[in-house]
């Protein structure tokens, strides 16, 4: 079953912050975050494991709340290069299922 | 390493035709999978394989077949193409599908149009 992401889209000015949420109805073992630029393949950002630490990729960080079965991705001091569609993936029974994605547009 | 490669990049089919999308990886990964991407739907898992000779269904398997005779290759077959199968198809691989802790690498995608 696919996780649910929110919001569907967000528009930022350079330097602003944003949060993307990912939730699942199933107990989560790990949460994976990917970013996709237009016309390209998704690219790995980070994995969060059950009981693990908050992870970081450049100024993008993420947390994992096992009790709420939810993960959040934090875009801090956004840059133009952060534009793209962000997907969370949840792992269960050998399968990595992705949410519908959150489109982030960063403007100068 | 070439990583994950897919052929063709673009394909146009007529309804009812069959074809095979090719996927290969040179990283000796055990786990391979196929996704389709449609606007507003994200990436949906079609089929996956945890090793040579072992395949299983994902979230949207109908109309597609797979086999895994070698570690490197994981072709996706469309038996009788339908307009609803118009989509972008991504192949992906990761070292070990069992632990859920590995990075997954995606191929560049195949854009398929069924008329």
């Amino acid at each position: 079953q696919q996780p649910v992401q929110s919001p569907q889209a967000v528009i930022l000015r350079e330097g602003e912050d944003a949060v993307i949420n990912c939730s699942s109805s199933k107990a989560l073992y790990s949460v994976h975050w990917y970013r996709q630029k237009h016309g390209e393949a998704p690219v790995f950002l980070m994995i969060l494991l059950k009981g693990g630490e908050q992870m970081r990729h450049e100024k993008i960080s993420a947390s994992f709340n096992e009790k709420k079965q939810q993960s959040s991705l934090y875009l801090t001091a956004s840059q133009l290069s952060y534009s793209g569609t962000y997907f969370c993936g949840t792992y269960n029974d050998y399968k990595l299922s992705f949410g519908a994605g959150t489109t982030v547009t960063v403007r100068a | 390493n070439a990583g994950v490669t897919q052929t063709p990049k673009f394909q146009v089919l007529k309804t009812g035709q069959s074809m095979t999308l090719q996927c290969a990886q040179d990283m000796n990964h055990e786990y391979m999978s196929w996704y389709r991407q449609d606007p507003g739907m994200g990436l949906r898992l079609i089929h996956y394989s945890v090793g040579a000779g072992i395949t299983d269904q994902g979230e949207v398997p109908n109309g597609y077949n797979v086999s895994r005779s070698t570690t490197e290759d994981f072709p996706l077959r469309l038996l009788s193409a339908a307009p609803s199968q118009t989509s972008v198809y991504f192949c992906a691989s990761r070292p070990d599908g069992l632990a859920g802790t590995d990075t997954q690498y995606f191929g560049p995608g195949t854009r398929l149009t069924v008329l």
Side-chain angles (χ1 to χ4, degrees):
Chain A
Q1 187 168 356
Q2 291 182 281
V4 177
Q5 283 185 240
S6 63
Q8 287 185 321
V10 60
I11 299 174
L12 302 166
R13 291 204 177 273
E14 266 188 301
E16 291 182 339
D17 302 338
V19 180
I20 300 170
N21 294 308
C22 173
S23 62
S24 174
S25 58
K26 289 187 174 182
L28 297 178
Y29 176 79
S30 64
V31 178
H32 303 227
W33 286 97
Y34 286 75
R35 179 171 63 200
Q36 184 180 33
K37 301 280 187 176
H38 183 69
E40 299 179 5
V43 174
F44 171 79
L45 290 176
M46 65 189 82
I47 292 176
L48 293 101
L49 304 178
K50 190 175 178 180
E53 299 177 352
Q54 185 177 50
M55 299 300 291
R56 179 176 293 275
H57 172 85
E58 300 173 349
K59 287 189 177 180
I60 300 173
S61 61
S63 63
F64 182 12
N65 187 321
E66 296 162 30
K67 287 185 180 178
K68 292 185 177 180
Q69 296 169 189
Q70 178 177 309
S71 177
S72 297
L73 189 74
Y74 306 94
L75 307 181
T76 304
S78 58
Q79 306 169 14
L80 295 175
S81 63
Y82 287 179
S83 291
T85 300
Y86 290 77
F87 294 98
C88 71
T90 54
Y91 179 81
N92 266 302
D93 296 331
Y94 314 137
K95 290 173 281 194
L96 188 58
S97 299
F98 289 93
T102 296
T103 300
V104 174
T105 304
V106 182
R107 294 179 174 166
Chain B
N1 286 352
V4 181
T5 58
Q6 292 183 236
T7 55
K9 288 187 177 180
F10 302 93
Q11 183 70 49
V12 179
L13 291 177
K14 293 182 179 178
T15 297
Q17 288 185 316
S18 62
M19 81 157 295
T20 300
L21 307 185
Q22 302 292 343
C23 174
Q25 51 90 12
D26 61 358
M27 298 175 282
N28 202 32
H29 286 174
E30 289 295 324
Y31 186 95
M32 297 185 74
S33 55
W34 278 100
Y35 293 86
R36 60 177 290 174
Q37 184 172 31
D38 304 293
M41 304 290 287
L43 295 152
R44 292 184 292 170
L45 183 65
I46 304 171
H47 284 286
Y48 67 96
S49 170
V50 298
I54 306 170
T55 64
D56 207 344
Q57 296 180 350
E59 299 153 355
V60 288
N62 292 342
Y64 307 95
N65 273 0
V66 292
S67 59
R68 183 101 179 267
S69 56
T70 67
T71 300
E72 295 78 19
D73 301 300
F74 191 44
L76 179 72
R77 282 183 289 278
L78 281 71
L79 306 174
S80 177
S84 61
Q85 293 180 304
T86 294
S87 188
V88 180
Y89 291 85
F90 287 101
C91 179
S93 74
R94 60 181 193 256
D96 181 348
L98 304 182
T101 58
D102 293 326
T103 299
Q104 183 158 283
Y105 299 88
F106 284 86
T110 294
R111 187 173 296 272
L112 176 69
T113 302
V114 183
L115 302 176

